[in-house]
Amino acid sequence: MQTPDSSPSEPRACPGPQPTQRSATRFTVPRGAVDTHAHVIGLPPDYPFVAGRSYTPPEATAASYLSMLDATGMTYGVLTQVSVHGTDNRLLVDALTANRQRLRGIAVIGLDCPEKEKAALKEAGVVGLRLNVLYGGGMGFAQLEDYASLCREMGWHLQFLIDAKDIPALASRFAKLPVPFLVDHMGHFPTSRGIKDRGFDALVGLVRDGAWVRLSGAYRTSIQGGPPYSDTIPFAQKLVAANPDRCIWGSDWPHVANWDVMMGVSDLLDLLAEWVPDETTRNHILTNNPQKLFGFPAV
């Protein structure tokens, strides 16, 4: 597992994704499948990077993302505002507006965001907000309840990028939230901490009680340094066993802040076959569950 560079010097540049993608080799991706987590990234000066970012990424266009979806057999996609652009959601909105039937979005905004801007985000296809305490440019949990109230007002849900070790201290606040919430990347913690890790156990409890969890980011949690990331299998399987109706999958394309082996999306899909061997359950995780959370029509 890698940790972001938070030094005050120029943040470390990270490579882009594999230019050519292919679909899973272990199973057939079902019609209606949703990639629930990816980013589009612009370049300065048109799309400035925040000063406090944790890495420096290459450009990742909406066209390249759509090509990846086509190559891997994914029907729909969800774009999450990338941390390096802070609360400047312009590129996200442009991508959503141009692909209203196929894409949904997760934005990052301040609580002082003007009503007109919030309405425009919703109109474009934003369905949730992200709070991120792991990478510079994100919003933290100090005003969690205020963000939850905003989401309730807008008909949105909340997504959290957090290390599982911090979940026990926040679990009671999470349990009282008036909107659905999701924990990203299976808790984003190294597998070396073990399946009995207290934070991971708290995450399993949240999922059992109805929280959403994204089965994603294997290369962020694995300590193997490259595919097949087999050390992540018991963690994913425990989450699925806790509540398969609250599990979704995401590619995390273009895999920012990854300086180890650059895997292909097919590697991550093939790993899903190990995480969820049962075809019916896996298809629900790829289709029914995310269609419900993000508001995509069944096909």
Side-chain angles (χ1 to χ4, degrees), residues 254-270:
H255 321 301
V256 295
N258 173 36
W259 294 277
D260 285 335
V261 173
M262 182 54 71
M263 79 310 296
V265 174
S266 61
D267 295 311
L268 303 175
L269 284 167
D270 284 345

Side-chain angles (χ1 to χ4, degrees), residues 14 52 66 70 93 128 172 185 192 205 220 222 230 232 240 280 282:
C14 58
L66 293 171
D70 292 339
V93 168
S172 61
H185 300 327
S192 58
R220 301 192 184 282
S222 174
S230 55
T232 65
V240 174
T280 299
R282 186 173 61 244

Side-chain angles (χ1 to χ4, degrees), residues 4-143:
D5 177 9
S6 58
S7 67
S9 60
E10 179 68 14
R12 186 179 178 188
C14 58
Q18 291 186 4
T20 302
Q21 301 285 347
R22 58 186 175 84
S23 194
T25 64
R26 299 284 304 279
F27 65 95
T28 299
V29 173
R31 188 164 180 255
V34 184
D35 170 21
T36 71
H37 189 70
H39 309 287
V40 287
I41 305 168
L43 296 179
D46 292 336
Y47 298 97
F49 293 151
V50 297
R53 67 189 184 278
S54 299
Y55 56 88
T56 300
E59 185 179 32
T61 66
S64 294
Y65 178 58
L66 293 171
S67 294
M68 185 279 283
L69 292 182
D70 292 339
T72 55
M74 309 300 293
T75 303
Y76 300 119
V78 180
L79 294 173
T80 298
Q81 172 70 355
V82 68
S83 63
V84 297
H85 287 322
T87 59
D88 179 1
N89 294 278
R90 288 177 298 139
L91 188 62
L92 172 70
V93 168
D94 287 346
L96 298 179
T97 302
N99 300 276
R100 292 181 182 275
Q101 302 305 311
R102 195 172 191 186
L103 301 180
R104 298 288 186 271
I106 304 299
V108 175
I109 64 174
L111 288 171
D112 59 351
C113 180
E115 293 296 327
K116 184 178 180 180
E117 183 177 339
K118 289 185 290 188
L121 290 170
K122 185 168 185 174
E123 171 63 21
V126 166
V127 294
L129 297 178
R130 190 186 210 196
L131 301 183
N132 162 18
V133 296
L134 298 184
Y135 290 86
M139 294 292 181
F141 291 93
Q143 296 173 299

Side-chain angles (χ1 to χ4, degrees), residues 5 23 76 94 121 128-129 137 147-148 153 156 167 196 219 264 296:
D5 177 9
S23 194
Y76 300 119
D94 287 346
L121 290 170
L129 297 178
Y147 275 104
E153 172 190 329
W156 292 343
I167 291 178
K196 296 183 179 180
Y219 57 96
F296 288 112

Side-chain angles (χ1 to χ4, degrees), residues 136-159:
M139 294 292 181
F141 291 93
Q143 296 173 299
L144 171 62
E145 289 77 12
D146 293 326
Y147 275 104
S149 295
L150 171 58
C151 284
R152 181 173 57 181
E153 172 190 329
M154 299 297 297
W156 292 343
H157 67 271
L158 279 170
Q159 297 194 6

Side-chain angles (χ1 to χ4, degrees), residues 219-278:
Y219 57 96
R220 301 192 184 282
T221 60
S222 174
I223 60 172
Q224 293 180 346
Y229 310 116
S230 55
D231 54 333
T232 65
I233 294 172
F235 296 88
Q237 290 184 344
K238 190 168 184 178
L239 290 167
V240 174
N243 195 342
D245 291 335
R246 287 295 180 268
C247 295
I248 57 178
W249 178 86
S251 69
D252 198 22
W253 184 94
H255 321 301
V256 295
N258 173 36
W259 294 277
D260 285 335
V261 173
M262 182 54 71
M263 79 310 296
V265 174
S266 61
D267 295 311
L268 303 175
L269 284 167
D270 284 345
L271 179 59
L272 181 62
E274 298 288 344
W275 285 352
V276 193
D278 180 71

